[in-house]
Amino acid sequence: MKKFFLPVLLLALLLACGCGDSLTKPPEDEPEQPADSPSTPEPPSGGEENDTEQPRDPVEIEGLVLVSDLDDTIVIDLKYATTDNFTGQVIYPVAVAAIKKETGERLVQANRIFQADGYTIKLWDAYRPYSAQRRLWEVFPDPRYVIKPEDQLPTSGFKARHYNGMAVDITLVDRYGNELEMPTAFDEFSEKAAPGYPHVSEEARSNAAYLISVMESAGFKVASTEWWHFNDVTGTPTPYLDIPLEAFLEAR
Protein backbone atom coordinates (compact mmCIF):
# COMPACT_ATOMS: atom_id res chain seq x y z
CA MET A 1 0.00 0.00 0.00
CA LYS A 2 2.84 2.45 0.80
CA LYS A 3 4.23 2.38 -2.74
CA PHE A 4 0.92 3.88 -4.04
CA PHE A 5 0.44 6.37 -1.19
CA LEU A 6 3.23 8.84 -2.09
CA PRO A 7 2.26 9.38 -5.79
CA VAL A 8 -1.36 9.95 -4.83
CA LEU A 9 -0.38 12.39 -2.09
CA LEU A 10 1.86 14.31 -4.52
CA LEU A 11 -0.95 14.63 -7.11
CA ALA A 12 -3.33 15.93 -4.45
CA LEU A 13 -0.83 18.63 -3.43
CA LEU A 14 -0.36 19.76 -7.05
CA LEU A 15 -4.09 20.18 -7.57
CA ALA A 16 -4.50 22.07 -4.31
CA CYS A 17 -1.87 24.70 -5.24
CA GLY A 18 -3.40 25.35 -8.70
CA CYS A 19 -0.52 23.90 -10.67
CA GLY A 20 -2.96 21.85 -12.70
CA ASP A 21 -4.79 24.86 -14.12
CA SER A 22 -3.21 24.34 -17.50
CA LEU A 23 -5.07 21.10 -17.79
CA THR A 24 -8.53 22.61 -17.37
CA LYS A 25 -8.40 26.42 -18.15
CA PRO A 26 -9.15 27.49 -21.78
CA PRO A 27 -6.56 29.62 -23.63
CA GLU A 28 -6.51 33.36 -22.72
CA ASP A 29 -7.55 34.44 -26.24
CA GLU A 30 -10.60 32.18 -26.28
CA PRO A 31 -12.63 33.06 -23.16
CA GLU A 32 -15.19 30.51 -22.18
CA GLN A 33 -18.77 31.73 -22.70
CA PRO A 34 -21.35 31.24 -19.96
CA ALA A 35 -23.50 28.20 -20.51
CA ASP A 36 -26.64 30.33 -20.89
CA SER A 37 -25.14 32.79 -23.45
CA PRO A 38 -25.71 32.10 -27.17
CA SER A 39 -22.61 32.00 -29.36
CA THR A 40 -24.33 34.08 -32.10
CA PRO A 41 -26.76 37.02 -31.83
CA GLU A 42 -30.42 36.11 -31.66
CA PRO A 43 -32.59 37.16 -34.62
CA PRO A 44 -34.85 40.21 -34.10
CA SER A 45 -38.25 39.64 -32.57
CA GLY A 46 -40.64 37.98 -34.95
CA GLY A 47 -38.05 35.53 -36.17
CA GLU A 48 -37.07 37.63 -39.21
CA GLU A 49 -33.44 38.52 -39.84
CA ASN A 50 -34.37 42.03 -41.13
CA ASP A 51 -37.36 43.37 -39.24
CA THR A 52 -36.68 47.07 -39.98
CA GLU A 53 -39.29 49.22 -41.72
CA GLN A 54 -38.74 49.41 -45.46
CA PRO A 55 -38.68 52.86 -47.13
CA ARG A 56 -42.05 53.93 -48.47
CA ASP A 57 -42.50 54.55 -52.16
CA PRO A 58 -42.70 58.25 -53.08
CA VAL A 59 -46.24 59.56 -53.52
CA GLU A 60 -46.99 60.97 -56.98
CA ILE A 61 -50.37 62.29 -58.08
CA GLU A 62 -50.77 63.83 -61.55
CA GLY A 63 -47.10 64.76 -61.69
CA LEU A 64 -46.99 66.19 -58.16
CA VAL A 65 -44.75 64.71 -55.46
CA LEU A 66 -44.04 65.52 -51.83
CA VAL A 67 -41.13 67.87 -51.26
CA SER A 68 -39.95 65.70 -48.35
CA ASP A 69 -39.71 62.69 -50.66
CA LEU A 70 -37.24 64.60 -52.82
CA ASP A 71 -35.21 66.23 -50.05
CA ASP A 72 -36.07 65.77 -46.39
CA THR A 73 -33.56 68.42 -45.31
CA ILE A 74 -35.73 71.23 -46.70
CA VAL A 75 -37.52 72.85 -43.75
CA ILE A 76 -41.30 72.77 -44.20
CA ASP A 77 -43.25 75.64 -42.63
CA LEU A 78 -46.50 75.92 -44.60
CA LYS A 79 -47.95 79.22 -43.46
CA TYR A 80 -51.38 78.58 -45.00
CA ALA A 81 -51.76 75.42 -42.90
CA THR A 82 -51.71 77.71 -39.84
CA THR A 83 -53.24 81.04 -38.84
CA ASP A 84 -49.80 82.67 -39.19
CA ASN A 85 -50.54 84.24 -42.57
CA PHE A 86 -52.07 87.46 -43.87
CA THR A 87 -55.62 86.04 -43.72
CA GLY A 88 -55.40 84.96 -40.09
CA GLN A 89 -57.21 81.78 -41.18
CA VAL A 90 -56.22 78.17 -41.82
CA ILE A 91 -56.41 77.80 -45.60
CA TYR A 92 -54.87 74.33 -45.97
CA PRO A 93 -56.56 71.56 -43.95
CA VAL A 94 -53.28 69.62 -43.69
CA ALA A 95 -49.62 70.62 -43.74
CA VAL A 96 -48.65 68.85 -46.97
CA ALA A 97 -45.99 70.37 -49.22
CA ALA A 98 -46.38 69.07 -52.77
CA ILE A 99 -44.62 70.22 -55.92
CA LYS A 100 -44.31 69.30 -59.58
CA LYS A 101 -41.60 66.66 -59.74
CA GLU A 102 -39.35 68.49 -62.20
CA THR A 103 -39.73 71.76 -60.30
CA GLY A 104 -38.91 69.93 -57.09
CA GLU A 105 -35.73 68.55 -58.60
CA ARG A 106 -34.63 72.09 -59.46
CA LEU A 107 -35.45 73.17 -55.91
CA VAL A 108 -33.26 70.35 -54.57
CA GLN A 109 -30.47 71.52 -56.86
CA ALA A 110 -30.71 75.01 -55.36
CA ASN A 111 -30.82 73.62 -51.84
CA ARG A 112 -27.54 71.77 -52.39
CA ILE A 113 -25.89 75.04 -53.40
CA PHE A 114 -27.25 76.76 -50.29
CA GLN A 115 -26.16 73.92 -48.03
CA ALA A 116 -22.61 74.09 -49.40
CA ASP A 117 -22.60 77.65 -48.02
CA GLY A 118 -24.10 76.63 -44.67
CA TYR A 119 -27.77 77.45 -45.32
CA THR A 120 -30.97 75.51 -46.00
CA ILE A 121 -34.25 76.35 -47.72
CA LYS A 122 -37.32 76.95 -45.58
CA LEU A 123 -40.46 76.39 -47.62
CA TRP A 124 -43.51 78.55 -46.91
CA ASP A 125 -45.67 77.42 -49.83
CA ALA A 126 -45.51 75.26 -52.95
CA TYR A 127 -48.44 73.56 -54.73
CA ARG A 128 -51.64 75.43 -53.93
CA PRO A 129 -54.99 73.85 -54.86
CA TYR A 130 -57.14 76.07 -57.07
CA SER A 131 -59.90 76.07 -54.45
CA ALA A 132 -57.42 77.47 -51.89
CA GLN A 133 -56.61 80.32 -54.28
CA ARG A 134 -60.29 81.22 -54.31
CA ARG A 135 -60.28 81.52 -50.54
CA LEU A 136 -57.22 83.79 -50.62
CA TRP A 137 -58.90 86.06 -53.17
CA GLU A 138 -62.06 86.27 -51.08
CA VAL A 139 -60.01 87.50 -48.12
CA PHE A 140 -57.68 89.85 -50.01
CA PRO A 141 -58.91 90.76 -53.53
CA ASP A 142 -55.88 92.83 -54.54
CA PRO A 143 -54.46 91.68 -57.91
CA ARG A 144 -51.06 93.17 -57.11
CA TYR A 145 -50.48 90.49 -54.50
CA VAL A 146 -53.21 87.84 -54.87
CA ILE A 147 -54.05 86.72 -58.38
CA LYS A 148 -57.75 86.47 -59.13
CA PRO A 149 -58.45 82.77 -59.74
CA GLU A 150 -60.50 83.37 -62.89
CA ASP A 151 -57.55 85.24 -64.40
CA GLN A 152 -55.51 82.04 -64.30
CA LEU A 153 -58.01 79.78 -66.04
CA PRO A 154 -56.58 78.05 -69.13
CA THR A 155 -58.89 80.13 -71.35
CA SER A 156 -57.25 83.34 -70.12
CA GLY A 157 -53.90 82.38 -71.59
CA PHE A 158 -52.22 82.88 -68.20
CA LYS A 159 -49.63 80.26 -67.27
CA ALA A 160 -50.51 78.93 -63.85
CA ARG A 161 -47.65 78.42 -61.39
CA HIS A 162 -48.58 77.95 -57.73
CA TYR A 163 -51.53 75.71 -58.40
CA ASN A 164 -49.77 73.49 -60.85
CA GLY A 165 -46.85 73.02 -58.44
CA MET A 166 -44.40 75.18 -60.37
CA ALA A 167 -43.89 77.98 -57.85
CA VAL A 168 -42.45 78.16 -54.34
CA ASP A 169 -42.35 80.70 -51.53
CA ILE A 170 -39.12 80.32 -49.58
CA THR A 171 -36.52 81.88 -47.34
CA LEU A 172 -33.23 80.62 -45.88
CA VAL A 173 -32.17 79.41 -42.44
CA ASP A 174 -28.67 79.00 -41.05
CA ARG A 175 -27.25 75.77 -39.62
CA TYR A 176 -29.00 76.51 -36.31
CA GLY A 177 -32.42 76.95 -37.91
CA ASN A 178 -32.48 80.74 -37.62
CA GLU A 179 -34.03 82.62 -40.54
CA LEU A 180 -31.70 84.99 -42.34
CA GLU A 181 -32.63 88.65 -42.26
CA MET A 182 -34.64 89.53 -45.35
CA PRO A 183 -36.29 92.76 -46.55
CA THR A 184 -39.71 91.89 -45.05
CA ALA A 185 -41.65 89.11 -43.41
CA PHE A 186 -43.58 86.62 -45.56
CA ASP A 187 -46.65 88.04 -47.32
CA GLU A 188 -46.00 91.63 -46.38
CA PHE A 189 -47.95 93.41 -49.06
CA SER A 190 -46.00 96.61 -49.49
CA GLU A 191 -43.40 98.09 -51.80
CA LYS A 192 -40.70 96.91 -49.37
CA ALA A 193 -41.27 93.32 -50.52
CA ALA A 194 -40.15 94.06 -54.07
CA PRO A 195 -36.70 92.67 -54.93
CA GLY A 196 -34.15 95.45 -54.98
CA TYR A 197 -36.18 97.85 -52.84
CA PRO A 198 -33.43 100.18 -51.59
CA HIS A 199 -34.63 101.24 -48.14
CA VAL A 200 -33.75 98.08 -46.22
CA SER A 201 -30.67 97.08 -44.24
CA GLU A 202 -27.52 96.12 -46.11
CA GLU A 203 -27.69 92.61 -44.65
CA ALA A 204 -31.29 92.11 -45.77
CA ARG A 205 -30.50 93.36 -49.25
CA SER A 206 -27.42 91.13 -49.50
CA ASN A 207 -29.28 88.04 -48.27
CA ALA A 208 -32.16 88.57 -50.69
CA ALA A 209 -29.74 89.08 -53.58
CA TYR A 210 -27.95 85.86 -52.67
CA LEU A 211 -31.23 83.94 -52.46
CA ILE A 212 -32.36 85.24 -55.84
CA SER A 213 -29.00 84.57 -57.51
CA VAL A 214 -28.92 80.90 -56.49
CA MET A 215 -32.57 80.28 -57.34
CA GLU A 216 -32.12 81.82 -60.79
CA SER A 217 -29.10 79.59 -61.40
CA ALA A 218 -31.38 76.59 -60.77
CA GLY A 219 -34.03 77.71 -63.28
CA PHE A 220 -36.35 79.96 -61.25
CA LYS A 221 -37.33 83.62 -61.55
CA VAL A 222 -38.27 85.86 -58.66
CA ALA A 223 -41.63 87.68 -58.68
CA SER A 224 -41.47 91.43 -59.26
CA THR A 225 -43.40 92.26 -56.07
CA GLU A 226 -42.29 89.47 -53.69
CA TRP A 227 -38.67 88.57 -52.89
CA TRP A 228 -39.80 85.17 -51.53
CA HIS A 229 -41.82 84.01 -54.54
CA PHE A 230 -40.06 82.02 -57.28
CA ASN A 231 -41.55 80.64 -60.49
CA ASP A 232 -40.04 77.69 -62.31
CA VAL A 233 -39.44 79.21 -65.74
CA THR A 234 -37.37 76.31 -67.03
CA GLY A 235 -40.18 73.78 -67.12
CA THR A 236 -43.22 73.75 -69.38
CA PRO A 237 -46.33 75.23 -67.72
CA THR A 238 -49.17 72.79 -67.18
CA PRO A 239 -52.88 73.39 -66.48
CA TYR A 240 -53.95 74.32 -62.99
CA LEU A 241 -54.83 71.53 -60.56
CA ASP A 242 -57.27 71.25 -57.70
CA ILE A 243 -56.09 68.07 -56.00
CA PRO A 244 -56.91 68.20 -52.27
CA LEU A 245 -53.80 68.08 -50.14
CA GLU A 246 -55.37 65.30 -48.09
CA ALA A 247 -55.06 63.04 -51.13
CA PHE A 248 -51.30 62.84 -50.62
CA LEU A 249 -51.80 61.49 -47.11
CA GLU A 250 -54.40 58.99 -48.27
CA ALA A 251 -52.02 57.71 -50.94
CA ARG A 252 -49.50 56.61 -48.31
Side-chain angles (χ1 to χ4, degrees), residues 7-35:
V8 172
L9 179 60
L10 181 59
L11 179 60
L13 290 174
L14 289 172
L15 293 173
C17 70
C19 297
D21 282 356
S22 61
L23 300 176
T24 58
K25 188 176 181 181
E28 292 293 336
D29 57 347
E30 295 182 9
E32 185 179 5
Q33 293 197 15

Side-chain angles (χ1 to χ4, degrees), residues 152-227:
Q152 288 195 350
L153 290 172
T155 54
S156 70
F158 193 94
K159 304 299 184 182
R161 297 291 177 177
H162 253 313
Y163 38 90
N164 64 0
M166 294 183 67
V168 291
D169 295 337
I170 64 171
T171 190
L172 295 174
V173 296
D174 62 21
R175 65 187 69 232
Y176 303 106
N178 302 309
E179 292 183 10
L180 272 60
E181 181 181 348
M182 292 293 179
T184 68
F186 175 58
D187 269 359
E188 179 174 323
F189 298 145
S190 72
E191 60 182 2
K192 295 180 181 179
Y197 180 77
H199 305 301
V200 297
S201 72
E202 180 60 35
E203 184 174 359
R205 182 165 50 253
S206 175
N207 289 341
Y210 167 69
L211 172 67
I212 293 168
S213 174
V214 172
M215 289 297 288
E216 288 183 345
S217 74
F220 293 86
K221 183 177 181 180
V222 69
S224 61
T225 57
E226 300 171 341
W227 62 262

Side-chain angles (χ1 to χ4, degrees), residues 54-77:
Q54 297 299 316
R56 294 178 296 186
D57 292 332
V59 173
E60 182 170 348
I61 302 177
E62 294 193 38
L64 298 175
V65 297
L66 297 178
V67 173
S68 58
D69 283 344
L70 298 177
D71 186 344
D72 61 5
T73 68
I74 293 176
V75 180
I76 307 297
D77 181 20

